[in-house]
């Protein structure tokens, strides 16, 4: 059973934090093999949908996740983009246990990351394993 | 005697009512009135953009939930179910009672009347609205995220069917709309 805790008031407000937590919960139920990735994550991941003016922090503690509005602590990874691209991140395919960036969905993400800069990920090079594990947790594919 | 929801009699009576009102009511129809729902159904059934974005194996209904606002003639929550099927087929759009909401596979998008009006007027982007919690989404998130573009398209069509919004009505028209919803609620057992 995945342990996800919401900071007070967040569940009633809904929005980005509840959606992302819902995606992670649903994915772990449908793909229990990703539980190892969840259990291994340790540290904060920050997300911001700049066009919707909403942000959130996920605090992973080796098998536990607490979800907060806004920025909490000093995130190892920060993901900042528009609402649509944030949801596109959940459509990255996983092949052989790793995110696959060489299909339509993956290439669109790479283009936004390296060419158009519509997607900004801080910690991409400093914490690649953490990012890979998180991408797997987020992927609905 | 009200019709029992889910029976062939209910379905037949609802279709008949919708067709009669489409033929007799002045246009533009009030958004979310039975006649407008009838027009919206035709629009979604013929929407090329939705068909292009829809998943070939989609089988989940999407339910739009409008929270009550008596000042705008909506005395009780309204649930409208889009029965969506493979390859962008929309089999029907119907009011449903709250007891029929929350079946496995349902996706429910909830908002106040004002939020739905903002969506209809293209003042509120559906994806942003969900991220901001202005529209609340319930259901299996991974399933709907895989089909996010088609789901957003469905909600967008609310604003593309010609209609008069409840906040544009005169007080007399608001009362008439209230009565239509009340009668419908009783006759079709959709409380």
């Amino acid at each position: 059973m995945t342990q996800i805790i919401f900071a007070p008031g967040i569940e009633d407000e809904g929005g980005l934090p509840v959606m992302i937590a819902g995606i992670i919960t649903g994915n772990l139920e449908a793909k229990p093999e990703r539980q190892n990735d969840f259990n291994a994550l340790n540290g904060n991941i920050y997300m911001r949908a700049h066009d919707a003016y909403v942000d959130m922090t996920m605090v992973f503690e080796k098998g536990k996740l607490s979800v907060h509005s806004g920025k909490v602590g000093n995130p190892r990874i920060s993901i900042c983009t528009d609402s649509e691209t944030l949801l596109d991140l959940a459509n990255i395919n996983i092949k052989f246990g790793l995110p696959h960036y060489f299909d339509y969905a993956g290439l669109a993400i790479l283009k936004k990351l390296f060419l158009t800069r519509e997607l900004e990920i801080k910690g991409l090079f400093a914490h690649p394993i953490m990012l890979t594990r998180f991408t797997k947790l987020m992927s609905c594919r | 005697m009200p019709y029992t929801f889910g029976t062939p009699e209910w379905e037949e009576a609802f279709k008949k009512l919708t067709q009669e009102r489409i033929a007799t009511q002045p246009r533009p129809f009030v958004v979310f009135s039975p006649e407008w729902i009838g027009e919206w159904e035709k629009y979604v059934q013929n929407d090329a953009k939705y068909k292009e974005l829809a998943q070939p194996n989609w089988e989940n209904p999407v339910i739009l939930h409008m929270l009550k606002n008596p000042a705008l003639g909506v005395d009780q929550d309204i649930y409208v179910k889009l029965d969506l099927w493979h390859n962008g087929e929309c089999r029907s759009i119907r009011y449903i009672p709250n007891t029929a909401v929350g079946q496995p596979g349902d996706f429910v998008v909830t908002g106040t009347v004002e939020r739905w009006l903002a969506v209809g007027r293209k003042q509120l982007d559906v994806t942003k609205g969900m991220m901001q919690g202005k529209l609340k989404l319930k259901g299996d998130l991974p399933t709907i995220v895989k089909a996010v573009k088609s789901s957003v398209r469905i909600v967008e069509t609310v604003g593309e069917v010609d209609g008069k919004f409840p906040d544009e009505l005169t007080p007399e028209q608001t009362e008439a709309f209230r009565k239509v919803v009340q009668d419908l609620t009783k006759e079709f057992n959709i409380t």
Side-chain angles (χ1 to χ4, degrees):
Chain A
M1 183 76 182
T2 309
Q3 199 180 349
I4 299 185
I5 301 159
F6 290 97
I10 288 193
E11 266 185 294
D12 297 334
E13 283 172 27
L16 178 67
V18 174
M19 285 178 78
I20 299 296
I23 289 171
I24 292 173
T25 306
N27 280 338
L28 286 173
E29 279 168 12
K31 301 169 184 83
E33 67 276 11
R34 295 187 191 170
Q35 185 71 43
N36 288 341
D37 296 297
F38 182 81
N39 293 344
L41 280 169
N42 197 29
N44 296 10
I45 296 180
Y46 171 76
M47 274 186 152
R48 185 160 82 93
H50 57 67
D51 59 337
Y53 307 102
V54 288
D55 58 354
M56 65 173 292
T57 305
M58 286 158 279
V59 180
F60 288 95
E61 292 170 290
K62 295 206 170 222
K64 272 200 288 184
L65 167 61
S66 48
V67 179
H68 304 259
S69 279
K71 197 171 199 172
V72 172
N74 188 19
R76 292 186 181 175
I77 293 172
S78 296
I79 300 169
C80 179
T81 186
D82 57 88
S83 315
E84 207 180 310
T85 307
L86 264 191
L87 292 182
D88 287 344
L89 292 175
N91 279 305
I92 291 177
N93 278 302
I94 305 295
K95 277 197 175 174
F96 307 112
L98 291 170
H100 180 70
Y101 293 102
F102 299 101
D103 57 7
Y104 182 80
L107 287 170
I109 292 293
L110 290 184
K111 185 178 167 192
K112 287 183 178 179
L113 186 58
F114 295 113
L115 290 178
T116 62
R117 309 274 176 176
E118 290 164 85
L119 168 63
E120 185 188 325
I121 302 180
K122 286 183 188 160
L124 173 70
F125 297 110
H127 302 286
I129 296 171
M130 187 178 190
L131 183 62
T132 297
R133 287 190 187 281
F134 178 67
T135 306
K136 285 173 71 181
L137 275 189
M138 275 283 289
S139 170
C140 303
R141 300 284 172 177
Chain B
M1 263 304 266
Y3 294 101
T4 306
F5 177 75
T7 60
E9 293 76 32
W10 188 102
E11 177 66 20
E12 197 173 316
F14 184 81
K15 273 190 196 165
K16 192 174 163 213
L17 171 92
T18 306
Q19 282 159 9
E20 277 172 11
R21 291 190 61 90
I22 286 174
T24 57
Q25 292 302 303
R27 287 172 188 264
F29 301 142
V30 181
V31 174
F32 286 107
S33 64
E35 53 274 22
W36 184 88
I37 294 280
E39 292 283 271
W40 184 33
E41 181 185 70
K42 277 189 240 158
Y43 187 88
V44 175
Q45 285 170 340
N46 294 303
D47 185 47
K49 275 192 207 170
Y50 173 63
K51 285 189 194 308
E52 191 186 320
L53 296 168
Q55 303 249 315
N57 54 356
W58 184 262
E59 295 185 353
N60 302 71
V62 172
I63 295 162
L64 306 192
H65 173 200
M66 186 191 277
L67 295 164
K68 67 180 177 182
N69 184 335
L72 295 175
V74 183
D75 288 342
Q76 65 163 68
D77 289 12
I78 293 177
Y79 298 87
V80 179
K81 174 181 172 178
L82 294 99
D83 185 1
L84 306 172
W85 199 247
H86 300 177
N87 298 309
E89 185 189 354
C90 171
R91 300 196 291 199
S92 63
I93 302 183
R94 297 285 182 270
Y95 297 103
I96 59 167
N98 62 3
T99 49
V101 179
Q103 303 294 317
D106 281 358
F107 289 104
V108 185
V109 188
T110 300
T112 60
V113 177
E114 293 86 345
R115 301 282 195 228
W116 285 116
L117 300 187
V119 169
R121 292 181 171 125
K122 307 257 178 208
Q123 293 162 347
L124 177 63
D125 175 272
V126 179
T127 311
K128 276 191 231 171
M130 289 192 294
M131 295 260 172
Q132 292 166 332
K134 289 177 177 173
L135 297 173
K136 294 200 166 77
L137 176 64
K138 273 191 195 155
D140 182 56
L141 266 294
T143 303
I144 201 141
V145 165
K146 278 191 255 184
V148 68
K149 289 188 167 64
S150 54
S151 309
V152 166
R153 174 65 200 150
I154 281 288
V155 181
E156 277 176 356
T157 60
V158 171
E160 295 175 13
V161 180
D162 193 23
K164 202 168 188 182
F165 293 102
D167 62 349
E168 294 168 350
L169 304 178
T170 63
E172 294 75 27
Q173 288 171 324
T174 300
E175 286 315 306
F177 179 57
R178 188 192 313 278
K179 188 165 183 323
V180 167
V181 176
Q182 282 171 350
D183 290 349
L184 190 83
T185 303
K186 282 183 203 145
E187 196 180 348
F188 287 90
N189 207 1
I190 48 171
T191 50

